[in-house]
Amino acid sequence: MAALGDDPELVRIGNCSGFYGDRLSAMREMLEGGQLDVLTGDYLAELTMLILGRDRLKDPNLGYAKTFVRQLEDCMGLALDQGVRIVTNAGGLNPAGLADKLREVAGKLGLHPKIAHVEGDDITARAGELGLGNTLTANAYLGAWGIVECLNAGADIVVTGRVTDASVIVGPAAAHFGWGRTDYDALAGAVVAGHIIECGPQATGGNFAFFTEIPDLTRPGFPIAEIRRDGSSVITKHTGTGGAVTVDTVSAQLMYEIQGARYAGPDVTTRLDTITVTQQDTDRVLVSGVTGEAPPPQLKVSLNTLGGFRNEMEFIVTGLDIEAKAALARHQLDAGLTVRPAEIEWTLARLDRPDADTEETASALLRCVVRDSDPKKVGRAFSATAVELALASYPGFTFTAPPGDGAPYGVFTAGYVDAAAVPHIAVLPDGTRAEIPPASETLALADVPEPALPQAFPAGPTTRAPLGRVALARSGDKGGNANIGVWVRTDDEFRWLVGALTVDQLKVLLPEAAKLTVHRHVLPNLRAVNFIIEGLLGQGVAYQARFDPQAKGLGEWLRARYLDIPTEFLA
């Protein structure tokens, strides 16, 4: 056991990165803004692993988040002076390489931090034998115990590869309190705290549906989890920073990129239906009551492959007869292609409006996307054919961008392997390699039966209005699937919501989902329903099946749709 702060009953963990490319100054802001015991950073997403995979193809010494190195060049001395431990997954595909780079940086700065790393998640070389196919990257989601081992060995800085996003928070909490591997409720509470703060200012008002309620979003502060011995936590931020921490900003992040009521991880399966969220004070939200179960016997694996090559041309269509003009362009391009790509997708975005007072608002966008395994079929053979129509097509013909060659695109899929088949190794500051065994107690993942729904809200006067007048939402991606979490603020509104926003109603409101499989999960403690829309995003973010490939705006589209809402809710 290694205490990470002065208070044996509490550990104060801040986060300074929610993605690769987040605010560069956030590490210094967090270190200078107030007291911390641990500072974490989440740099990895499904798309990031593909980006790092391409980096590694160009240079085998790369494969980690280079911005993290820049942050530590600036802040390593500050963190050491304050005794703040740093834990991050910025190692990406090359945690050992990042650890070596940080030692090089420390030497140049005249500093002597104890640096450790966690490895074993990269199973790319064994993907075929494990039944995962031929991949560019294959990384199993490891848990928190390698991080615990490194911290217990005195590491000041711990870098990992692909661990679950919450693991960089769970590890320090488990090390501080000396939790065991079957302390499921405490571990689950830390997972929830980690899930809330892992995306940085999304927990302090960023990307928040009722954003006009947030007093200052100029530069929202990054979040902090004050985790207690029982796994409960208070979510907060440094005093004087922008944004806000409220029940709703915390709930918004809780609803982000989740599936059902069971949230599986390599260390614990967290029951999201047990979470209680309470406003304790200004910018202080208590998260409590979380229960956990044994983890499943398999680990999830992030698989990225090169799916082929893609290109697109976007036509501007202005004024009258939009549909006829678009049909002419489609017919001409289709007839002119001498080499046909394997996939051709057309979309017409009717952004125009009648009698528009600007040319832009009188225009629609006609987009053609092509994909093929042969780059020649989606290169100039495609874009040049589109350009040749410039003087021979509909009136006002023009493009949003010049033609170009096709570019490779990636495909993300999730695989699963037995946990025992994946090494989990903590490389300690002195170079010792400690093997972390898989969980000895596991429980197969199963759906939670839908809870008893509240009594229906009584019929009464209704008004046709946007759902977002009453409800908040947050949406995101998981591979090719999208999730939309929708929640309300009062019990009566929840009684109405669960009856009104069914799967069938969602398909009416979002016609793009009408022919897809949609699942609904009800979370009464959060007054929420969460929808999973299978296949909406094609083969993942890099495939770019929609103009919003990560479904970030999907919840806001839903909130803008009209339905009959009890009039009393709209007062």
Side-chain angles (χ1 to χ4, degrees):
M1 176 177 174
L4 305 184
D6 297 331
D7 188 341
E9 299 303 315
L10 182 144
V11 61
R12 191 171 167 87
I13 303 174
N15 179 48
C16 69
S17 177
F19 69 102
Y20 189 12
D22 210 344
R23 191 190 307 169
L24 197 63
S25 62
M27 181 178 287
R28 177 166 286 277
E29 291 171 17
M30 291 298 284
L31 290 170
E32 292 181 338
Q35 180 187 354
L36 292 176
D37 300 314
V38 181
L39 184 60
T40 66
D42 176 18
Y43 293 79
L44 302 184
E46 293 168 359
L47 181 61
T48 311
M49 300 303 282
L50 177 63
I51 293 169
L52 296 178
R54 290 176 180 171
D55 283 352
R56 189 171 62 174
L57 284 177
K58 298 173 185 176
D59 183 347
N61 294 317
L62 296 179
Y64 53 78
K66 290 172 283 189
T67 53
F68 177 72
V69 177
R70 293 171 59 191
Q71 289 175 306
L72 272 196
E73 285 173 337
D74 177 50
C75 296
M76 187 183 290
L78 180 59
L80 291 172
D81 288 345
Q82 295 184 354
V84 176
R85 312 278 192 101
I86 294 178
V87 181
T88 177
N89 61 16
L93 301 177
N94 190 5
L98 177 57
D100 287 341
K101 183 65 177 179
L102 296 180
R103 293 185 186 99
E104 178 186 323
V105 169
K108 291 179 179 178
L109 296 173
L111 301 173
H112 305 282
K114 296 179 179 178
I115 300 173
H117 74 272
V118 178
E119 62 185 32
D121 61 292
D122 191 344
I123 55 175
T124 306
R126 300 168 52 218
E129 70 181 72
L130 293 171
L132 301 172
N134 182 23
T135 66
L136 174 64
T137 67
N139 295 80
Y141 286 78
L142 300 180
W145 297 103
I147 297 170
V148 173
E149 193 77 21
C150 293
L151 292 171
N152 284 344
D156 300 303
I157 302 170
V158 182
V159 297
T160 77
R162 179 70 279 187
V163 296
T164 66
D165 296 346
S167 290
V168 296
I169 291 93
V170 177
H176 183 75
F177 297 116
W179 292 336
R181 296 191 64 157
T182 58
D183 287 328
Y184 295 131
D185 290 349
L187 291 168
V191 166
V192 170
H195 180 61
I196 293 169
I197 73 169
E198 72 190 33
C199 287
Q202 278 197 166
T204 62
N207 299 347
F208 179 56
F210 286 179
F211 68 96
T212 56
E213 296 181 354
I214 307 299
D216 179 13
L217 272 176
T218 307
R219 288 174 72 84
F222 277 66
I224 298 164
E226 297 177 351
I227 301 179
R228 302 170 180 175
R229 184 173 294 277
D230 65 356
S232 64
S233 64
V234 170
I235 307 302
T236 185
K237 63 186 184 69
H238 284 320
T239 302
T241 57
V245 181
T246 69
V247 166
D248 283 323
T249 68
V250 169
S251 296
Q253 183 56 27
L254 282 173
M255 301 304 298
Y256 185 58
E257 295 182 344
I258 63 170
Q259 305 292 302
R262 281 191 167 98
Y263 189 71
D267 303 318
V268 62
T269 294
T270 301
R271 290 293 297 265
L272 299 179
D273 54 342
T274 63
I275 302 171
T276 298
V277 184
T278 310
Q279 192 79 44
Q280 193 180 64
D281 204 342
T282 302
D283 293 328
R284 294 183 63 82
V285 171
L286 175 65
V287 181
S288 60
V290 186
T291 63
E293 302 166 343
Q298 292 188 313
L299 299 181
K300 182 180 176 180
V301 183
S302 169
L303 302 171
N304 279 289
T305 59
L306 292 177
F309 297 84
R310 121 185 241 292
N311 203 349
E312 72 174 64
M313 294 295 289
E314 192 169 63
F315 305 76
I316 299 175
V317 188
T318 304
L320 303 176
D321 306 317
I322 294 289
E323 298 285 345
K325 290 172 179 174
L328 175 59
R330 289 185 59 166
H331 169 72
Q332 289 177 309
L333 182 59
D334 187 68
L337 286 173
T338 56
V339 179
R340 296 193 62 81
E343 297 180 40
I344 303 178
E345 295 177 359
W346 290 91
T347 57
L348 177 62
R350 292 298 303 266
L351 308 178
D352 57 299
R353 59 174 181 255
D355 196 20
D357 56 6
T358 67
E359 182 178 345
E360 189 170 12
T361 55
S363 300
L365 296 176
L366 175 66
R367 182 181 300 110
C368 182
V369 177
V370 292
R371 299 182 186 88
D372 201 283
S373 59
D374 184 350
K376 294 180 181 179
K377 291 184 179 181
V378 299
R380 293 288 172 165
F382 161 68
S383 59
T385 302
V387 170
E388 288 172 357
L389 303 177
L391 305 181
S393 189
Y394 60 84
F397 184 106
T398 189
F399 297 114
T400 59
D405 295 323
Y409 70 88
V411 172
F412 170 86
T413 54
Y416 296 88
V417 297
D418 290 340
V422 180
H424 186 173
I425 300 167
V427 183
L428 307 182
D430 64 0
T432 302
R433 298 175 65 83
E435 293 192 18
I436 309 300
S440 59
E441 182 177 289
T442 62
L443 181 66
L445 197 63
D447 290 335
V448 174
E450 184 164 286
L453 300 181
Q455 184 179 3
F457 189 76
T462 62
T463 300
R464 195 79 176 165
L467 174 63
R469 289 282 303 277
V470 173
L472 301 92
R474 173 66 64 78
S475 57
D477 64 307
K478 279 294 181 186
N481 299 341
N483 97 289
I484 312 175
V486 184
W487 71 101
V488 289
R489 288 174 159 173
T490 71
D491 290 340
D492 281 347
E493 289 170 351
F494 181 62
R495 292 167 62 195
W496 168 78
L497 182 72
V498 294
L501 198 55
T502 62
V503 167
D504 288 342
Q505 182 62 51
L506 182 90
K507 290 185 174 186
V508 171
L509 296 174
L510 303 184
E512 290 181 26
K515 296 182 180 180
L516 301 176
T517 300
V518 178
H519 305 276
R520 187 181 84 157
H521 303 277
V522 180
L523 301 170
N525 281 19
L526 300 176
R527 300 191 186 99
V529 292
N530 186 52
F531 294 93
I532 310 299
I533 306 175
E534 293 187 3
L536 182 69
L537 306 179
Q539 298 182 55
V541 54
Y543 185 76
Q544 294 186 315
R546 310 174 68 245
F547 82 103
D548 176 19
Q550 290 181 287
K552 298 292 189 182
L554 193 63
E556 288 304 292
W557 179 28
L558 178 62
R559 293 183 62 244
R561 297 289 283 163
Y562 281 61
L563 69 169
D564 295 324
I565 299 174
T567 303
E568 65 185 87
F569 296 164
L570 301 171

